[in-house]
Amino acid sequence: MKTARPLRLGPRSVAALVLVSLVGILAFCWPLFADAGSAVTSHAGDAPWLFAALLPLLVAVVVATIADCGMDAKAVAMLGVLAAVGAALRPLGAGTAGLEPMFFLMVLSGRVLGPGFGFVLGSVTMFASALLTGGVGPWMPFQMLSMGWFTMGAGLLPGLDRLRGRGELLMLSVYGFLAAFAYGTVMNLQGWVLLQGLGSGVSFVPGAPLHENLVRFLAYVLATSLGWDLGRAALTVVLTLTVGGTLLRALRRATRRANFEAQVTFEAPEGGSPSEAPHRTYVTYEAK
């Protein structure tokens, strides 16, 4: 049985996701290309503007998906439940060697429910967890984008209808391991440009050639966050391999029972038209 996706990627959904991703890439990377005299140190001041742009773009992703294939109240309810669970999981490991169990839930949810749903889920979960933990700051919109990409990537993995069992868990573990490092690296880029005086080998230098700043950034990542990212990646792998199978089955069962994207068609009885049999209506539910 094929796994239904509440949010399938249609042309409008793809366009909205590309637009929000381009905005995010520009927000993360523009200091690397700024002139030496630019106000790079005010990069934190971008956060309110990025947040103001991100919210309507997230709404645009949802609206585009509704326009492409429909999204009913059951899909919205599942989005809310998973976002609440993810937000509740985040404080369990916050500040402890990067051990953040919410990442494994995002990987599995993105896998089952698709990239469009995954991007919105990751962003909303990070927003909710920031409100829950008091982690609201200039980093929050960047975290929302990064987590959206993280969860969306799981929904883009191959073999959705063919790969099951141990092979699927291994693939998700590898993705979770690598993507956990990618998440940490992207978030490091947001904070690195604001830090000054760390030393000539790791500090960001406004206006310096791109390759030189990238070398400094790599040194900064290795010196400051490699251990933290390793803890996040390792916990994601452990949880995926131990309880991932059970959670995948539960998510898929919930999706099937919710009967997302079921289409209702009305058919006339055989041998006649609806006008000939006004008191008989045949309703067919057709699940994609």
Side-chain angles (χ1 to χ4, degrees):
M1 183 180 295
K2 292 186 177 181
T3 303
R5 287 179 173 177
L7 292 176
R8 293 182 182 273
L9 285 180
R12 298 180 184 87
S13 304
V14 172
L17 285 171
V18 169
L19 178 59
V20 71
S21 295
L22 287 176
V23 170
I25 292 172
L26 290 174
F28 275 104
C29 298
W30 78 262
L32 294 175
F33 302 94
D35 296 331
S38 63
V40 174
T41 54
S42 65
H43 188 43
D46 300 342
W49 299 104
L50 177 60
F51 186 68
L54 181 59
L55 286 183
L57 287 175
L58 286 176
V59 173
V61 173
V62 177
V63 171
T65 306
I66 293 174
D68 282 335
C69 62
M71 176 181 175
D72 58 15
K74 292 175 287 187
V76 175
M78 181 170 285
L79 174 66
V81 169
L82 291 175
V85 173
L89 284 176
R90 191 183 181 201
L92 298 180
T96 308
L99 302 178
E100 298 176 275
M102 69 173 291
F103 280 78
F104 114 95
L105 176 63
M106 296 297 102
V107 170
L108 301 184
S109 300
R111 171 64 173 175
V112 172
L113 298 167
F117 190 103
F119 184 87
V120 177
L121 173 63
S123 300
V124 171
T125 301
M126 191 57 72
F127 176 75
S129 67
L131 297 180
L132 181 64
T133 61
V136 178
W139 52 83
M140 187 182 70
F142 296 93
Q143 287 178 328
M144 291 172 62
L145 279 168
S146 300
M147 186 57 71
W149 290 330
F150 178 92
T151 314
M152 180 178 69
L156 294 173
L157 294 174
L160 181 64
D161 299 322
R162 303 183 306 275
L163 190 60
R164 289 290 187 273
R166 197 68 176 175
E168 183 178 34
L169 291 179
L170 288 174
M171 181 186 68
L172 293 176
S173 299
V174 172
Y175 171 80
F177 185 86
L178 297 177
F181 278 100
Y183 173 88
T185 301
V186 169
M187 285 306 304
N188 280 332
L189 181 61
Q190 181 269 330
W192 174 63
V193 299
L194 304 177
L195 300 176
Q196 302 295 325
L198 295 177
S200 60
V202 297
S203 287
F204 172 67
V205 179
L210 178 61
H211 68 277
E212 293 183 7
N213 267 330
L214 289 179
V215 171
R216 294 187 183 95
F217 177 64
L218 178 59
Y220 169 79
V221 171
L222 294 176
T224 60
S225 66
L226 183 62
W228 188 277
D229 293 338
L230 180 60
R232 178 191 301 118
L235 182 63
T236 301
V237 170
V238 170
L239 291 177
T240 300
L241 292 178
T242 53
V243 300
T246 301
L247 186 54
L248 280 174
R249 289 191 293 271
L251 287 172
R252 285 174 171 142
R253 187 181 305 113
T255 302
R256 288 195 298 267
R257 289 183 176 180
N259 198 23
F260 292 121
E261 293 183 345
Q263 293 186 350
V264 180
T265 59
F266 294 89
E267 297 179 355
E270 294 183 4
S273 64
S275 59
E276 296 172 348
H279 302 295
R280 289 184 295 170
T281 303
Y282 293 78
V283 181
T284 302
Y285 292 91
E286 205 171 277
K288 291 184 179 179

